[in-house]
Amino acid sequence: MKLFYYVLLILINPTFLFAQVKFKIELEAPTFINDKLIISPQIVRKGYEDFYKYHLDTNQYITDFGKQFGFEQSAYQIIIQNKNLLEGEFQYPIPLSFQYFNTKTKQVYVTSTFFLDSGFHKIQLPDSFNAYEVNIHSSINDEYAHFKKLFSDLYVHINGNNLDSLTDLQKKEERIGNYIKYNNNSYVAFWEIVYDYTLYNFNHIYLDNLSLFSDNFKKTELFKEFEKKLRNEDSTLIGKKFPNINFDGKNILTKKYFNNYLLTFIDYWSTTCLPCIKAMPTIVAMYHQYKDKGIHFISVTDENKPERIKLAKSILIKNNARWPNYFDINKNFQNKVNATSYPLHLLVDRDGIILFKNSGNLEEVKKFINNYLK
C-alpha cells in the first residue's frame, strides 16, 4: 500500500509542467557570518551549462557569481548574515548544493545535492557541512530522498553517508529504468541520468531509460536537448561516420575532405585548457613524424571571441603548429560530436569513418597510428 501511494504521489506531481516558479529559502549558517558561500550545481559537464539556469534575486549580500566569472551555468555568492533570504525563480527543478572554500586549508566543502522547489523552505548549515545532507521537505526533495535508497548499496561508502565510488553503473541504470516505468514524469530520475553521464561518460542504457519517460516529459526543452546531445555522441562513436561540420560559414569539413589522406588526426582544444597547450609540442613532433606517411593533422579550437581567437593563434605560432586550424565559431563541432571535454583526439580514415577517439592520451594515438601504418 505504501509503495502504491508513493508511486501515485509522483505520477500526479506537476513539476514537469513548470513555467517560471518562485521559491524562497531562509538560510542560517551562524559559523559563517560575513564569510562567503556559493550556491550552484555540484558538477557540470562542458556543453551542458545551459541546463543549470535559474534566477536568484541579488542585493548587497547576494551576487551573481557565475556572471562575474564568466560561467555559463547559474551560480551565486552569498555573504552570510544572521539570516539570509534567498528569493528567485526557476523553470524546472535543478539539483544544487552549497559550497565553501576554506582559505586556510585550501579545501572545498560541499553539501549534499538538493532540488530547488516552489514555496518557502528553511535550511540551517552546521559548522562542518561537507557531505551534509540538506533536508528540504517538498515533493521533489522527498522523492529524491527515497529515490537515492534504490541504489545506495551500489556505492562504496566512506565517512558515514557520503556516497563515493559507484561499483556497477549498468545495474544502477537498470534500477533507474524500472523506477521510470512507474514515475515517467520524474525530474529526479532524469537528473540522475545526467549525473551518471557527467561522471561516467556515454552509455547506451541512458538512451534506453530516456525512452521510458512520458510523452509530456519528452516535450520539455530540457529533455529534448539532452537526448539530442546523447544521440549526437552515439552517432560519432568509433566506427561511425564523421559528421559534416560548418565552423563559420566558410570553413567546412565533409567526407570529401578526408578522401585525400590515409588518416586525419583531429585535436580539439581551447586556450583555457592547460593540458592542451602543454601537449602541443608533442603533437608538433608527431606531425613531423607522420606527415609524410599519409597522416593529416588539423586542430579545432573551441573559441569564438576575437581576443581568445587572437590568443589561440599566438599559441599555435609559438609552437610552430603548421597544420590547418579551425575555430568552432558556430559550436557546430561541439554540438555534432558532443565534444564535452578537451583535449579530445580523433582519427578519421579516408572514408570519413571514426577509427579512434580518446581524451588526451597521445601515446595511445601514436600506438594506433603505428599499428595502422603496418
Side-chain angles (χ1 to χ4, degrees), residues 168-216:
D168 194 329
L169 175 64
Q170 189 74 18
K171 187 174 290 186
K172 177 185 176 181
E173 286 295 326
E174 287 172 1
R175 294 181 188 179
I176 291 175
N178 289 331
Y179 180 85
I180 296 170
K181 290 176 183 177
Y182 298 98
N183 303 273
N184 58 9
N185 293 316
S186 174
Y187 269 98
V188 165
F190 172 83
W191 277 111
E192 196 67 23
I193 297 172
V194 176
Y195 176 77
D196 283 347
Y197 167 71
T198 300
L199 289 185
Y200 309 113
N201 299 317
F202 180 82
N203 190 305
H204 279 284
I205 198 170
Y206 303 148
L207 289 171
D208 295 338
N209 283 344
L210 290 180
S211 70
L212 301 173
F213 282 93
S214 72
D215 290 340
N216 277 332

Side-chain angles (χ1 to χ4, degrees), residues 105-121:
T105 63
K106 305 299 181 183
Q107 289 183 303
V108 177
Y109 300 96
V110 184
T111 67
S112 69
T113 294
F114 63 92
F115 281 86
L116 282 183
D117 207 351
S118 59
F120 178 76
H121 310 284

Side-chain angles (χ1 to χ4, degrees), residues 149-160:
K149 295 176 183 177
L150 297 177
F151 42 77
S152 62
D153 62 303
L154 300 179
Y155 282 86
V156 174
H157 294 261
I158 298 176
N159 296 329

Side-chain angles (χ1 to χ4, degrees), residues 242-254 257-258 264-269 296-305 309 324-337 339 346:
F242 191 86
N244 293 337
I245 305 293
N246 185 339
F247 291 109
D248 52 16
K250 296 179 181 178
N251 295 291
I252 299 173
L253 276 186
T254 65
Y257 181 92
F258 301 105
T264 297
F265 170 77
I266 302 174
D267 173 39
Y268 178 62
W269 72 292
H296 182 56
F297 283 66
I298 64 173
S299 292
V300 177
T301 310
D302 182 29
E303 305 292 356
N304 56 14
K305 295 179 180 178
I309 290 176
N325 177 78
Y326 301 97
F327 291 98
D328 195 22
I329 303 294
N330 298 328
K331 299 293 183 183
N332 207 232
F333 182 92
Q334 182 186 108
N335 292 330
K336 287 190 174 181
V337 180
L346 299 97

Side-chain angles (χ1 to χ4, degrees), residues 115-118 121 135-144:
F115 281 86
L116 282 183
D117 207 351
S118 59
H121 310 284
N135 292 313
I136 295 179
H137 293 295
S138 68
S139 59
I140 192 165
N141 283 289
D142 288 345
E143 178 193 353
Y144 185 48

